[in-house]
Amino acid sequence: MRKRLGMITPSSNSVLEPVTSAMLADAPGVTAHFSRFRVTEIALDAAALNQFDASVMLPAAELLADAKVDAIAWNGTSASWLGIGRDRSLCEAIAARTGIPATTSTLACIDAARALGARHVGLVSPYTDDVQQRIVDVWAGEGVAPHAERHLGLRDNFSFGEVAPATIAEMIRAVAAEGADAIVILCTNLDGAALAAPLERELDIAVLDSVAVTLWRSLGLAGGDIGALAQWGRIFQTMPAIK
């Protein structure tokens, strides 16, 4: 049966749509549909944090519901610094308004790390020092304390999509060298999905790209065949725990 996946997308993100579409070329009958709201920077000041208020995100979910999607994902990682409760509340609100099950990139990444039994999780991101430290604290509060990390110190969301894959790969290798057994590329505007499988073979650890893992969780939530995407990394050989 055809599966339609709805993705709530940051307005300045230039990576997640083409990457998700490229991945779904390997999954006949599954399509992704995107709805945007304004996000231009990632920081901890009030203006940046207010970009992620549910009042501006829920209308995007309602528009996706018009396409009769089978699952909706907030395809962004904001709860990693705002607090996981924000995403849980958002998913509940989306389901209440649309009748469609929902997930988020942050929830999917944490679920993926747990599903793989990772004990030493590494984080790779484009974010600033203070945002990265907040992420470390939030994830530790969920029982997934980051073992090692690398970040780029960037604030402008559009600039994240301009980071070369080679730079992302260097960061992953550096975190792996510190003993991580799974590494999360934490940002849906970093072009890292195509790196996961080759680096998993090279380093013999799991590499969890946020775009890929959001697709993994969304497709599982919709009742689709995640095994069709096995070439994109180890996580697609693991069934998500649907709650």
Side-chain angles (χ1 to χ4, degrees), residues 44-63:
L44 298 183
D45 58 78
L49 297 178
N50 287 339
Q51 295 173 116
F52 302 104
D53 191 88
S55 65
V56 296
M57 300 172 76
L58 288 171
E62 291 175 326
L63 292 175

Side-chain angles (χ1 to χ4, degrees), residues 42 44 80-81 122-139 146 148-153 171 175 184 186:
I42 302 301
L44 298 183
S80 287
W81 57 91
L123 293 179
V124 166
S125 90
Y127 304 127
T128 56
D129 294 349
D130 55 348
V131 172
Q132 188 79 346
Q133 184 56 56
R134 182 74 66 85
I135 292 168
V136 169
D137 294 342
V138 168
W139 277 53
E149 61 85 21
R150 291 292 188 280
H151 59 285
L152 294 171
M171 297 167 72
V175 172
V184 177
L186 191 69

